[in-house]
Amino acid sequence: MDSMAGIRLRDALERHQISLCLAALAAGFLAGAAVPGASALQALINPAIALLLYATFLAVPFTRIRAGLLDLRFLGLLLLLNFVLVPALVFVLSRFVAHDAALLTGVLLVLLAPCVDYVIVFSALGGADHGKLLAATPLLMIAQLLLLPPFLWLFTSGSVAGLIEPGPFLEALVFLILLPLAAAAATQLLAGRRPAFRALAAAGNASMVPLMLVVLFTVAASQARRVLEEGLSLAWLVPLYAVFLAVMVLAGAFTGRAGGLDYGSARALAFSGATRNSLVVLPLALALPDAGGTAAAVVTQTFVELAGMALCIRFIPQLLPRPAGRAAGESNRRNRR
């Protein structure tokens, strides 16, 4: 009975995950605006994301990660999308804020760096092949670490490229990806031998949505005042970030289809193209001379993206549907439950 209740609760959370994500964002922003000390929650963002990714990795069979490393077509299209198509679009969009050095730097920092953490969770919730994204994480981290300085030099005439340091990227790779991944692998290995670890592994899927809500609330609450302090100067950025997200979802879907990928891999491309590495580049923004405006530009992108991802969970599967036979079979199984 307890097991059936747990399944019903998990299904209810998944059915209402979009409205729950948007509610968590709104509640976090209101709490952050009302409570002066809410910015201290920033210290909890990375631990919360690490725990969320651990729960996500528990649900990924590690044979899929090995298969992802061998899928050279997917990896090639992923690099094409994030380091050829994205920079071209970012250059065009960034011209709308080229008059403001702080905003321009923030826009370039955040839009040129593809996400490597919660994109895995959102892609899992959207039915994408998140195992392949997980396998590609080290490649994306290394590529952005190498390419971000020359892109910044090219787009800003060399004014901020020399300020990029590898520390935040390497810390994110170790603490947000490698350690949760190792813990999940150990849990999966021990699950076949010990009931306690088997129960822990089984809880991975059920905890993904609640942990996502915790992350969204924490990010929104901790960054709300930084956004409010900049006020109207950020108004230009909201439509700019929304356009970026929409265009890259479509570009990812088109690239996946044109490249002959299956629906899960094509969905993974769409999620990767649309999501950015805001939580990793935020420390870089805070270290720059005009930290206030630059960091606020990065945080604004986080809010727009998180709200957009809540919608992408629903619309990317519609844009890239499963084959008819498989979709019908999964629908029948849900109805029988």
Side-chain angles (χ1 to χ4, degrees):
M1 188 67 178
D2 289 342
S3 176
M4 290 302 299
I7 291 174
R8 286 195 295 271
L9 176 60
R10 183 195 65 193
D11 289 347
L13 289 173
E14 291 179 352
R15 279 196 307 272
H16 300 291
Q17 60 193 357
I18 294 175
S19 56
L20 288 171
C21 286
L22 293 175
L25 273 175
F29 191 86
L30 291 174
V35 180
S39 59
L41 290 174
Q42 181 170 323
L44 300 178
I45 292 177
N46 281 352
I49 291 177
L51 187 59
L52 173 61
L53 288 171
Y54 168 70
T56 304
F57 297 160
L58 282 175
V60 180
F62 281 80
T63 54
R64 289 172 56 189
I65 298 177
R66 185 166 60 250
L69 288 172
L70 299 175
D71 192 341
L72 298 183
R73 178 186 296 182
F74 173 78
L75 294 176
L77 291 173
L78 189 68
L79 292 175
L80 170 70
L81 184 72
N82 280 296
F83 300 108
V84 177
L85 300 183
V86 164
L89 176 61
V90 170
F91 177 78
V92 173
L93 294 178
S94 65
R95 298 310 93 187
F96 290 97
V97 293
H99 60 281
D100 188 315
L103 294 186
L104 175 63
T105 302
V107 167
L108 293 175
L109 269 177
V110 72
L111 292 187
L112 288 170
C115 185
V116 296
D117 38 59
Y118 56 62
V119 63
I120 298 168
V121 183
F122 278 121
S123 63
L125 294 174
D129 193 336
H130 54 297
K132 287 185 178 179
L133 279 182
L134 174 58
T137 291
L139 181 62
L140 288 177
M141 289 291 286
I142 293 170
Q144 65 188 274
L145 183 60
L146 294 176
L147 294 175
L148 190 56
F151 278 136
L152 286 172
W153 180 87
L154 185 64
F155 293 169
T156 66
S157 301
S159 60
V160 297
L163 299 176
I164 300 303
E165 297 181 358
F169 293 91
L170 297 178
E171 288 177 12
L173 179 61
V174 172
F175 294 107
L176 297 184
I177 302 296
L178 296 182
L179 288 181
L181 182 60
T187 303
Q188 286 191 17
L189 180 64
L190 293 170
R193 306 172 187 174
R194 300 184 181 180
F197 286 94
R198 190 157 51 246
L200 181 60
N205 278 332
S207 63
M208 280 176 58
V209 175
L211 286 172
M212 175 60 75
L213 299 181
V214 171
V215 169
L216 295 180
F217 179 90
T218 304
V219 171
S222 64
Q223 304 302 322
R225 291 203 163 222
R226 179 170 283 127
V227 172
L228 291 174
E229 285 171 2
E230 293 298 319
L232 294 178
S233 66
L234 301 176
W236 284 94
L237 301 185
V238 174
L240 186 150
Y241 290 144
V243 167
F244 175 87
L245 191 149
V247 170
M248 289 315 303
V249 165
L250 295 175
F254 176 80
T255 302
R257 283 177 168 171
L261 299 181
D262 61 87
Y263 77 92
S265 299
R267 289 182 188 180
L269 274 187
F271 276 104
S272 179
T275 52
R276 303 290 91 191
N277 218 4
S278 58
L279 300 181
V280 174
V281 301
L282 183 58
L284 297 177
L286 290 171
L288 294 175
D290 190 359
T294 303
V298 172
V299 171
T300 301
Q301 190 276 338
T302 305
F303 284 129
V304 174
E305 178 177 284
L306 291 176
M309 281 298 105
L311 300 175
C312 286
I313 291 170
R314 172 172 293 176
F315 292 117
I316 287 179
Q318 293 178 3
L319 188 64
L320 295 164
R322 290 178 173 86
R326 185 177 299 181
E330 293 183 2
S331 176
N332 290 336
R333 284 194 295 274
R334 284 195 299 270
N335 291 336
R336 282 198 297 272
R337 285 207 302 261

